[in-house]
Amino acid sequence: SKNLEQKKAAAFRAVQMVQDNLIVGLGSGSTMQIFVDLISERIKRERLHLSFVPASKKIEKYSLPFGLNLLDINYVDRIDIAFDGADRIDEQNNLIKGGGGSLFRERQILDMAQSRVIVVDSSKFVSNFAKEIIPIEIVPYNYRWTVHKINLLGFIGNIRGEATPFMTDNGNYIYDAYNLNNFDVTETYHSLKLVAGVVDVGLFKENDYQIIYSHE
Ligand code: DER
């Protein structure tokens, strides 16, 4: 499909950015799985020395058969460059992330990294985030009250998985919520983040990250 071709082309360009002897942050999602496929080939071909910090159990499991050198985030004191996908990008380069439920750990790795690269296909670009699903990681304890507080801020939605809730790597729920109206990404991130039961909000303020996409 066009999106798959674009993901491959973008992931290929991202892989070319990696110099030898780096600690690389690995985000989660199908684009990052393509990144793992391609960088593994490059490591073999060029005998590169690279270590990786995976942002989810999912990308860690995916990476294992490739023999990548995976490190625990608490055993590294730096991440040189982090690569990740995104669900949506608006015109100010703000991101929505969390479609795969790994937003908390992805943010930790992006935050630690010296430089950040977001790898997307053209289907991710939107003009604004009105009506777009914003994944919000919340603690299961008293989640109905947490959801109520989120609703009061203008965001309504569902606990992901409903009857059998999806559990994040951190043992939390995801509340997939949207606002019918457009909103300020930074203000909204902060007001949602201040709700006591909220662990993380899938809004990433346009930051010093480079967006790699291919419109091929
Ligand atoms: O969940 C996330 O934030 C991931 O980055 C994910 O949204 C990327 O998805 P894709 O690479 O499978 O499109």
Side-chain angles (χ1 to χ4, degrees), residues 9-34:
F12 182 82
R13 285 177 34 221
V15 164
Q16 301 314 313
M17 292 174 64
V18 181
Q19 293 104 5
D20 205 354
N21 303 304
L22 292 187
I23 298 178
V24 179
L26 265 189
S28 215
S30 63
T31 308
M32 289 311 299
Q33 292 182 348
I34 299 169

Side-chain angles (χ1 to χ4, degrees), residues 154-184:
F155 288 80
I156 52 171
N158 303 292
I159 294 290
R160 188 177 298 182
E162 284 288 5
T164 50
F166 168 86
M167 299 301 283
T168 68
D169 287 346
N170 316 302
N172 297 315
Y173 292 160
I174 296 280
Y175 184 60
D176 286 313
Y178 62 90
N179 192 325
L180 287 171
N181 307 310
N182 193 10
F183 54 87
D184 179 278

Side-chain angles (χ1 to χ4, degrees), residues 11-212:
F12 182 82
R13 285 177 34 221
V15 164
Q16 301 314 313
M17 292 174 64
V18 181
Q19 293 104 5
D20 205 354
N21 303 304
L22 292 187
I23 298 178
V24 179
L26 265 189
S28 215
S30 63
T31 308
M32 289 311 299
Q33 292 182 348
I34 299 169
F35 179 91
V36 167
D37 299 343
L38 295 174
I39 200 147
S40 302
E41 285 165 23
R42 209 184 138 206
I43 288 170
K44 287 191 186 66
R45 194 169 57 244
E46 301 177 25
R47 291 180 176 48
L48 298 179
H49 299 89
L50 294 171
S51 302
F52 296 86
V53 181
S56 69
K57 292 175 185 167
K58 196 169 174 206
I59 195 70
E60 179 182 349
K61 286 193 186 77
Y62 184 84
S63 304
L64 279 174
F66 292 89
L68 298 184
N69 181 28
L70 300 178
L71 302 176
D72 182 297
I73 195 161
N74 287 305
Y75 288 94
V76 298
D77 51 14
R78 77 174 204 283
I79 292 176
D80 296 302
I81 185 166
F83 295 87
D84 204 345
D87 296 310
R88 289 287 180 269
I89 303 183
D90 72 7
E91 286 166 347
Q92 286 79 36
N93 276 354
N94 297 303
L95 313 179
I96 294 177
K97 285 176 54 54
S102 311
L103 64 152
F104 176 81
R105 296 192 179 193
E106 287 172 341
R107 184 186 300 278
Q108 295 298 319
I109 284 176
L110 288 168
D111 188 50
M112 252 186 107
Q114 305 273 310
S115 61
R116 287 155 275 275
V117 180
I118 301 297
V119 191
V120 293
D121 59 275
S122 60
S123 73
K124 307 296 181 70
F125 292 95
V126 292
S127 52
N128 65 63
F129 292 157
K131 303 187 184 69
E132 297 291 348
I133 293 280
I134 317 292
I136 303 171
E137 182 159 345
I138 64 175
V139 178
Y141 179 78
N142 204 18
Y143 74 91
R144 292 177 61 247
W145 181 246
T146 299
V147 164
H148 171 65
K149 302 272 276 298
I150 292 169
N151 296 160
L152 292 179
L153 291 169
F155 288 80
I156 52 171
N158 303 292
I159 294 290
R160 188 177 298 182
E162 284 288 5
T164 50
F166 168 86
M167 299 301 283
T168 68
D169 287 346
N170 316 302
N172 297 315
Y173 292 160
I174 296 280
Y175 184 60
D176 286 313
Y178 62 90
N179 192 325
L180 287 171
N181 307 310
N182 193 10
F183 54 87
D184 179 278
V185 169
T186 307
E187 275 168 32
T188 299
Y189 171 75
H190 289 120
S191 53
L192 286 168
K193 193 79 165 56
L194 284 175
V195 174
V198 169
V199 172
D200 204 351
V201 178
L203 291 170
F204 289 65
K205 189 184 171 321
E206 67 80 29
N207 206 320
D208 52 341
Y209 35 65
Q210 189 180 347
I211 310 280
I212 292 210

